[in-house]
């Protein structure tokens, strides 16, 4: 192993480890990844990449085999190897291999694409993520804010104005999807175990999206916002789905493994109540969402 090759591995390991912190509940979580890295970041990473090594690898192994290896590393959650291989490929100008893997992960509905993007960013590879990943996959970055819009109903996720007896706000879908504070959200990343989860909150109030404790008569959990955010009911992971040529997403609760959805009926305001669906049904026509960057 050459000195530069070792330096890349060491850089990735140190950056990943430095990104792990302990929150005030004792849980292992990831620090929020900044989208405001200095312009010198790319040069720092590039200086540690050995293009000749990557070129010799390509010469001895077909591009398709290397693509398959990278894809399998991501899907199996071997992110240290995936980040290292990605750095080598990017440094040698083989962007197309990385792009092919990104497209395959999306088309195959692999939630690991979010973990892959997060780990690249945490390893100071932000410039790779920004160059080769769809912007929706980059929502772990600090300064990216989104609207969450139901594919089926074209309603934007929001909270009620008031609070209930427990001090929580009920989550609804609003037919008015125009950009404004109450329908603008931030996905806050937390690395737990071997994947990235998100806590989801509006940008103007610190109420974190969760599912309730009890099921209704349909077996669904109601969706709410609360100021506390210390349970697995407040954690979500995201799974991409390509449907009718559109990039959509399932938003899935960690505690119950339920997909976020909107109810069929409207209330007196014309809003639809948000729930966690009682069954894990990956039907994009019913349960998928647009994540639209502001």
């Amino acid at each position: 192993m050459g000195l530069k090759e070792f330096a890349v591995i060491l850089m990735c390991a140190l950056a990943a480890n430095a990104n792990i912190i302990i929150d005030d509940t004792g849980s292992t979580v990831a620090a929020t990844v900044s989208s405001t890295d200095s312009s010198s970041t790319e040069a720092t990473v590039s200086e540690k990449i050995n293009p000749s090594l990557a070129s010799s690898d390509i010469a001895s192994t077909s591009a398709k085999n290397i693509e398959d290896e990278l894809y399998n590393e991501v899907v199996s959650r071997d992110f240290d190897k995936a980040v290292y291989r990605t750095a080598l490929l990017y440094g040698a100008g083989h962007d197309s291999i990385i792009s092919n893997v990104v497209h395959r992960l999306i088309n195959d509905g692999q939630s690991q694409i979010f973990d892959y993007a997060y780990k690249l960013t945490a390893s100071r590879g932000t410039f790779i993520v920004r160059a080769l990943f769809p912007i929706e996959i980059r929502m772990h970055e600090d300064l990216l804010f989104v609207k969450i819009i139901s594919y089926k109903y074209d309603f934007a996720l929001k909270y009620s104005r008031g609070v209930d007896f427990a001090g929580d706000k009920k989550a609804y879908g609003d037919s008015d999807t125009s950009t404004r504070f109450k329908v603008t959200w931030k996905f806050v990343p937390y690395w737990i175990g071997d994947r990235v989860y998100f806590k989801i909150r509006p940008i103007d109030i610190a109420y974190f999206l969760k599912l309730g404790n009890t099921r209704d008569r349909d077996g669904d959990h109601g969706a709410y916002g609360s100021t506390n955010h210390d349970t697995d009911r407040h954690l979500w992971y995201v799974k991409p789905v390509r449907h009718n040529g559109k990039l959509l997403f399932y938003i899935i609760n960690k505690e119950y493994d339920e997909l976020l959805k909107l109810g069929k009926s409207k209330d007196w305001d014309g809003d639809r109540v948000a729930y966690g669906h009682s069954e894990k049904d990956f039907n994009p026509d019913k349960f998928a969402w647009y994540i639209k960057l502001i």
Side-chain angles (χ1 to χ4, degrees):
M1 179 183 295
L3 180 59
K4 290 187 178 179
E5 183 180 359
F6 175 78
V8 172
I9 298 173
L10 181 61
M11 174 273 296
C12 293
L14 289 175
N17 289 336
N19 199 56
I20 302 300
I21 62 173
I22 304 297
D23 71 6
D24 56 7
T25 67
S27 300
T28 303
V29 299
T32 302
V33 180
S34 174
S35 63
T36 57
D37 294 341
S38 68
S39 59
S40 63
T41 300
E42 180 170 359
T44 302
V45 174
S46 297
E47 287 168 1
K48 298 179 185 296
I49 293 173
N50 188 339
S52 62
L53 176 62
S55 296
S56 64
D57 287 345
I58 291 290
S60 61
T61 310
S62 74
K64 184 62 170 68
N65 285 346
I66 293 175
E67 178 187 315
D68 290 342
E69 288 170 359
L70 177 57
Y71 178 90
N72 291 332
E73 285 165 357
V74 174
V75 171
S76 66
R77 301 187 178 280
D78 193 348
F79 295 115
D80 289 341
K81 287 184 180 178
V83 167
Y84 172 59
R85 188 186 299 274
T86 301
L88 290 179
L89 290 170
Y90 190 82
H94 298 297
D95 301 16
S96 62
I97 294 178
I98 305 169
S99 294
N100 288 345
V101 170
V102 169
H103 291 309
R104 284 176 60 183
L105 291 166
I106 291 172
N107 292 337
D108 293 349
Q110 300 286 3
S111 64
Q112 291 93 325
I113 189 170
F114 287 95
D115 311 314
Y116 179 34
Y118 179 91
K119 278 296 190 181
L120 277 171
T121 302
S123 301
R124 302 182 71 186
T126 302
F127 59 96
I128 300 176
V129 177
R130 290 178 178 172
L132 301 179
F133 287 66
I135 193 167
E136 296 89 346
I137 306 298
R138 293 166 36 204
M139 59 190 180
H140 58 271
E141 295 183 7
D142 272 351
L143 300 180
L144 292 183
F145 308 108
V146 302
K147 292 186 288 187
I148 304 169
I149 299 176
S150 166
Y151 174 71
K152 181 176 182 178
Y153 298 114
D154 198 34
F155 277 43
L157 192 68
K158 70 171 185 181
Y159 285 143
S160 61
R161 292 179 181 174
V163 298
D164 63 15
F165 68 93
D168 295 339
K169 290 179 175 287
K170 198 164 185 63
Y172 291 92
D174 189 334
S175 61
D176 182 2
T177 62
S178 61
T179 300
R180 59 203 192 282
F181 277 137
K182 70 177 181 178
V183 299
T184 302
W185 298 77
K186 173 63 187 161
F187 282 69
V188 183
Y190 285 73
W191 186 267
I192 302 175
D194 62 354
R195 74 181 311 157
V196 66
Y197 291 93
F198 296 97
K199 294 182 181 180
I200 307 172
R201 54 159 293 180
I203 63 171
D204 60 333
I205 54 173
Y207 278 75
F208 295 83
L209 187 67
K210 69 175 182 178
L211 292 184
N213 284 309
T214 59
R215 298 181 185 272
D216 63 17
R217 62 184 181 182
D218 294 321
D220 297 335
H221 288 92
Y224 302 87
S226 65
T227 54
N228 68 297
H229 51 93
D230 57 354
T231 74
D232 284 352
R233 293 183 293 120
H234 295 86
L235 293 170
W236 304 80
Y237 68 96
V238 184
K239 181 179 175 71
V241 55
R242 186 83 70 181
H243 184 60
N244 292 333
K246 301 179 185 299
L247 179 55
L248 307 172
F249 301 91
Y250 301 111
I251 301 172
I252 306 166
N253 186 258
K254 181 178 188 292
E255 175 71 17
Y256 300 116
D257 219 23
E258 293 179 356
L259 282 71
L260 185 67
K261 69 172 184 179
L262 294 181
K264 295 179 180 178
S265 59
K266 300 178 184 179
D267 66 10
W268 62 277
D269 276 336
D271 296 333
R272 299 178 186 273
V273 177
Y275 301 91
H277 187 59
S278 58
E279 298 177 0
K280 201 171 183 180
D281 180 5
F282 291 114
N283 183 337
D285 287 316
K286 293 182 178 179
F287 305 118
W289 299 79
Y290 294 104
I291 295 178
K292 296 191 174 181
L293 275 291
I294 301 299

